[in-house]
Amino acid sequence: MAPNNMTSGQARVIDPILSTHARGYTNMEMIGHLLFPVANIPTRGVRVIKFGKESFRMMNTARAPGAETARVQYGYASGPVALRQDSLEGLVPWENQEEAANIPGIDLASGSVEMVLDVFALGREFAIAKLARDPNNYGSNNKIALTNSDKWSDPDSDPAKDIKTGREQIRRRIGRYPNKLTLGPPVYNVLTEHPKIKDQFKHTTSDSITAAMLAKYFELDEVIIGKAVYLEENADDDADAKDVWGDDAILSYSSKGTNFRVPSFGYTYRLNGHPTVEQPYPERNRKSWVYPVTEDWSPQMTGPDAGFLFQTPI
C-alpha cells in the first residue's frame, strides 16, 4: 500500500531498499537535529503547535457542586508548516559501477545516495543555524551581546556567571532549565582555554577540557559543537570554508524525543516516508545510472522562550 502522502503511481517509482538506507543515514558531523529534533508529520497540511503559559498560571480550579468545571487548553495551532522540498540526483558512471561490482563491500548506489544526503544535511544545518543565531527570533530578555571584558576571550570574564544568567531566564520563561549549549568551534576552543574553567578541573584531571567537562561545569546535559563548514556556491575550491555555527553560543531546552506536540526550542518537521529514493534510471548520454533523492522538510523555532542567545562571546 502506498504511504498516505503519495499516490499509488508515485509509490511505484520508489526504491524501497535505498529509501530505507536513506532514512537511517546520519551525517555525524551535523548537530542541527540535536537542537531542532526531527519530527515526522503525516501530511503537508499540519499546523505548527505553539504552547502558551497555561501550565504556569495560578488558576482557581475549585468547583462548587453543580458548577461548570474550569478548562485549560493544551497548545494551539498557529500556522501551517511550509515544507521545503530538496531534490537532487546522484550520478554513477557505468564504468565505475561495473568495476565496483567486482569488489566486495563497495556499493556505489548507496554511496551516491549518501553523497546527496550530505548535501541536503549541510543545507538543513545552515537553515537551522540561521534560525537559532538570528537575534530577531528572541525576546529582549533572552539574548545578550557580550562586549569588552565580558567577552569569554578575556581572562577576566566569567562564562559560568553568564550561563547561569541565561539558565535562570529560560527557567523563568518555561519552568525548566535548558539542557543544551550549542557552540561553534572558535567559542569552544576559547572556553577550553579559559583560566577560570581550567582552574576548576586542575585538581581532578590533567586531561584537556572536553565538551562533557564543560557540560558538567555549566550544569547542562550536554555541550554540542557545530563543526560543519560551508563554501559559498560559487567559491573557489581553494577558498577557506566558513563555520556554519559562527561565533555565537546558544542555550536551549530541546526535546529529547521526536513528538512535535512536546514543547521544545524547535523542531525540524519532515514529511512521513522521507527522504525517498526513486528507482534509478539509465542516462545513456552520460552512460551513467541516476539516483534521484527527495526530501520535504522545514525547521521551525517553536519555542523561542526556551532559548538564550549569546552574541559576540569572543
Side-chain angles (χ1 to χ4, degrees), residues 36 48-51 262-267 269 300-304:
F36 284 22
V48 178
I49 294 180
K50 298 286 187 179
F51 294 90
V262 176
S264 179
F265 180 49
Y267 282 105
Y269 296 108
Q300 300 276 344
M301 187 184 286
T302 54

Side-chain angles (χ1 to χ4, degrees), residues 157-170:
S157 64
D158 194 344
K161 181 180 178 181
D162 295 331
I163 293 294
K164 184 172 290 186
T165 298
R167 277 169 45 83
E168 289 302 323
Q169 175 61 17
I170 289 176

Side-chain angles (χ1 to χ4, degrees), residues 192-205 209 217:
T192 58
E193 295 298 324
H194 197 285
K196 287 186 174 69
I197 296 175
K198 294 180 72 173
D199 184 67
Q200 177 70 23
F201 293 100
K202 69 179 181 181
H203 297 301
T204 58
T205 179
I209 305 297
Y217 180 73

Side-chain angles (χ1 to χ4, degrees), residues 120-143:
F120 287 177
L122 181 58
R124 185 164 51 248
E125 188 87 348
F126 186 86
I128 293 172
K130 186 177 180 180
L131 276 175
R133 295 179 58 204
D134 186 348
N136 295 319
N137 290 332
Y138 294 82
S140 58
N141 293 326
N142 281 59
K143 60 186 174 184

Side-chain angles (χ1 to χ4, degrees), residues 102-307:
N102 297 322
I103 304 174
I106 294 182
D107 186 345
L108 293 184
S110 60
S112 69
V113 169
E114 290 174 6
M115 179 182 66
V116 170
L117 292 172
D118 284 342
V119 174
F120 287 177
L122 181 58
R124 185 164 51 248
E125 188 87 348
F126 186 86
I128 293 172
K130 186 177 180 180
L131 276 175
R133 295 179 58 204
D134 186 348
N136 295 319
N137 290 332
Y138 294 82
S140 58
N141 293 326
N142 281 59
K143 60 186 174 184
I144 186 172
L146 299 176
T147 59
N148 302 323
S149 61
D150 288 333
K151 288 179 179 285
W152 297 341
S153 46
D154 190 303
D156 293 327
S157 64
D158 194 344
K161 181 180 178 181
D162 295 331
I163 293 294
K164 184 172 290 186
T165 298
R167 277 169 45 83
E168 289 302 323
Q169 175 61 17
I170 289 176
R171 182 185 64 82
R172 283 192 292 268
R173 299 297 294 181
I174 68 170
R176 62 185 72 189
Y177 283 115
N179 53 7
K180 291 180 174 63
L181 175 64
T182 302
L183 305 171
V187 183
Y188 172 69
N189 291 334
V190 164
L191 287 176
T192 58
E193 295 298 324
H194 197 285
K196 287 186 174 69
I197 296 175
K198 294 180 72 173
D199 184 67
Q200 177 70 23
F201 293 100
K202 69 179 181 181
H203 297 301
T204 58
T205 179
S206 59
D207 296 336
S208 298
I209 305 297
T210 65
M213 293 163 69
L214 284 179
K216 182 178 180 181
Y217 180 73
F218 291 132
E219 298 183 76
L220 299 163
D221 289 353
E222 60 181 335
V223 170
I224 51 181
I225 317 302
K227 302 173 185 177
V229 297
Y230 72 99
L231 286 172
E232 300 289 350
E233 187 170 0
N234 298 319
D236 294 333
D237 285 348
D238 60 355
D240 288 338
K242 301 177 182 179
D243 283 311
V244 170
W245 291 94
D247 294 340
D248 297 322
I250 304 158
L251 268 178
S252 66
Y253 176 80
S254 299
S255 172
K256 297 179 182 180
T258 58
N259 183 349
F260 66 92
R261 294 178 178 83
V262 176
S264 179
F265 180 49
Y267 282 105
T268 301
Y269 296 108
R270 184 172 63 190
L271 197 60
N272 270 351
H274 281 230
T276 60
V277 184
E278 295 178 27
Q279 292 282 358
Y281 66 90
E283 181 67 61
R284 296 190 181 279
N285 187 48
R286 301 287 296 272
K287 298 187 184 303
S288 301
W289 282 104
V290 180
Y291 294 85
V293 186
T294 301
E295 184 170 25
D296 285 46
W297 61 279
S298 174
Q300 300 276 344
M301 187 184 286
T302 54
D305 283 347

